[in-house]
Amino acid sequence: MNNLVTGGAGFIGTHLIKKLLNNDETVICIDNFYSGNKLNIEQFFSSKNFSFLEKDITETFNIKTDRVWHLACPASPRYYEKNPIKTAKINFTGTLNMLEIARKNNADFLLASSSEIYGNPEQSPQRENYNGSVNTLGKRSCYKEGKRIAETLCYDYLRTYNLNIKIARIFNTYGPNMMPKDGRVISNFITNAIQNKPLFINGDGSQTRSFCFIDDLIEGLFLFINSKSNGPINFGNPNEEYSIDDLAGIIINKLKSKSKKIKGSSINDEPIRRKPCIKKAIKTLDWFPKYPLDYGLEYTIKYLKDL
């Protein structure tokens, strides 16, 4: 099986590629290192089944492949807010270009969508049939609305060309290979706690996130792409929902850090509660995340300590 992985030098992409290579499949990794890290994929350069192309997916090109795993897009506000027009272009033009590659090859296509498509949800847990509550004009909208239009494009290709589309709505995921201070809460908190620096919290810290360990997510994505379902399907861990304030305390205690929690102003458009309903994943894929936060943090902390 020949696999094209866009955004392969990113956090999730690295773990996906590792599993594909362990399965003796061929991987073509595409990344432009806007938010990905070349160090993440250097471990694969010696593999005869791995090749790398430094490309921008907003430009057109042709590749022969059996499957497209479309992960390319900066997932952290630190990166996608830096150049919001570029972010929107990645989500629309980049997805369109990758769908064209899939169409020409009659390839399976998996879109790494996001829980951000639900916006600041008015229901919890969030189900796949919930259309969301999204501000189209906010600073985060380039990403939220970008992922929504990417999903729309995917379904248009399914209806128009009968393309085998898979839409995975990914909730907060963490684990080794996260970059220090990449703008995501777990890596930021761990990096600062290791250095006994303050842990900065937006608002009062009562906003919640549900944290899924990377190994669980990768297992779910493989079950999904080998299934008959097109989705969308939520991938997250509803049993591991924590307030940001509690998460900061857990990390400080695990590291026995001298860090203090510092609370600042709230961020406009920040979701108050993020918790997936995964009944569809359980029924359709027989998938349920098994790793608790305590287990996942041990591996993530070790990775960030060793950098």
Side-chain angles (χ1 to χ4, degrees):
M1 184 73 72
N2 195 24
N3 299 269
L4 173 63
V5 181
T6 72
F11 162 52
I12 295 175
T14 305
H15 288 269
L16 176 65
I17 290 171
K18 186 174 183 179
K19 185 170 178 65
L20 287 167
L21 293 176
N22 286 342
N23 290 348
D24 203 29
E25 297 191 31
T26 301
V27 174
I28 303 167
C29 170
I30 290 180
D31 210 298
N32 65 354
F33 302 123
Y34 179 70
S35 61
N37 190 338
K38 190 174 183 180
L39 293 175
N40 282 344
I41 58 171
E42 285 183 346
Q43 60 184 302
F44 308 131
F45 288 170
S46 60
S47 171
K48 62 181 175 56
N49 287 339
F50 178 83
S51 57
F52 172 71
L53 297 174
E54 186 171 350
K55 284 185 177 293
D56 186 327
I57 62 165
T58 61
E59 300 170 1
T60 58
F61 51 90
N62 292 312
I63 287 178
K64 290 190 179 297
T65 187
D66 300 306
R67 282 180 170 170
V68 178
W69 305 76
H70 182 35
L71 280 61
C73 185
S76 166
R78 172 172 293 181
Y79 289 99
Y80 67 67
E81 289 180 5
K82 187 191 302 184
N83 192 338
I85 296 171
K86 177 70 172 178
T87 299
K89 191 175 180 182
I90 290 168
N91 277 308
F92 182 80
T93 306
T95 300
L96 181 63
N97 288 341
M98 296 307 103
L99 283 165
E100 274 297 294
I101 287 175
R103 182 183 67 82
K104 291 173 182 177
N105 289 275
N106 194 29
D108 299 336
F109 186 98
L110 185 142
L111 171 69
S113 188
S114 168
S115 59
E116 286 286 331
I117 65 105
Y118 297 118
N120 191 358
E122 296 167 342
Q123 66 168 234
S124 187
Q126 292 86 57
R127 294 174 173 82
E128 289 90 348
N129 62 1
Y130 173 55
N131 290 329
S133 176
V134 179
N135 173 12
T136 64
L137 307 178
K139 288 177 66 177
R140 300 165 70 103
S141 302
C142 59
Y143 185 77
K144 294 179 182 182
E145 288 293 281
K147 287 296 185 182
R148 287 163 72 95
I149 191 62
E151 288 194 7
T152 301
L153 273 173
C154 286
Y155 258 78
D156 286 338
Y157 266 72
L158 184 155
R159 286 183 287 259
T160 304
Y161 302 111
N162 198 30
L163 204 62
N164 188 17
I165 295 291
K166 315 283 182 179
I167 294 177
R169 291 178 177 167
I170 299 171
F171 283 66
N172 291 69
T173 305
Y174 70 99
N177 290 108
M178 298 183 84
M179 290 189 293
K181 297 186 177 180
D182 74 347
R184 286 181 268 205
V185 65
I186 283 186
S187 53
N188 280 8
F189 279 1
I190 291 174
T191 301
N192 280 13
I194 288 170
Q195 300 173 30
N196 296 307
K197 292 181 178 179
L199 273 56
F200 296 98
I201 297 170
N202 301 324
D204 64 4
S206 63
Q207 65 273 36
T208 73
R209 298 293 182 268
S210 298
F211 297 101
C212 183
F213 188 54
I214 184 65
D215 289 4
D216 279 325
L217 173 67
I218 296 300
E219 180 189 3
L221 294 182
F222 271 79
L223 289 170
F224 188 21
I225 205 163
N226 288 307
S227 75
K228 294 180 180 179
S229 174
N230 299 118
I233 293 183
N234 289 336
F235 289 94
N237 194 335
N239 290 345
E240 298 297 321
E241 181 187 20
Y242 294 86
S243 72
I244 300 304
D245 185 61
D246 286 346
L247 176 69
I250 289 168
I251 289 173
I252 288 171
N253 289 337
K254 282 190 77 68
L255 282 161
K256 297 180 173 56
S257 173
K258 297 178 182 178
S259 296
K260 303 295 182 184
K261 295 187 282 188
I262 295 181
K263 296 179 180 179
S265 57
S266 299
I267 293 180
N268 289 337
D269 255 4
E270 184 177 20
I272 301 303
R273 192 170 185 196
R274 188 63 60 71
K275 180 179 180 178
C277 172
I278 60 168
K279 290 180 180 178
K280 191 172 180 180
I282 294 170
K283 181 179 179 180
T284 306
L285 309 175
D286 194 25
W287 177 83
F288 191 91
K290 56 181 178 280
Y291 296 110
L293 182 69
D294 186 66
Y295 173 93
L297 285 179
E298 291 289 339
Y299 284 88
T300 311
I301 288 169
K302 182 181 185 307
Y303 172 80
L304 290 169
K305 271 186 171 181
D306 290 345
L307 286 179

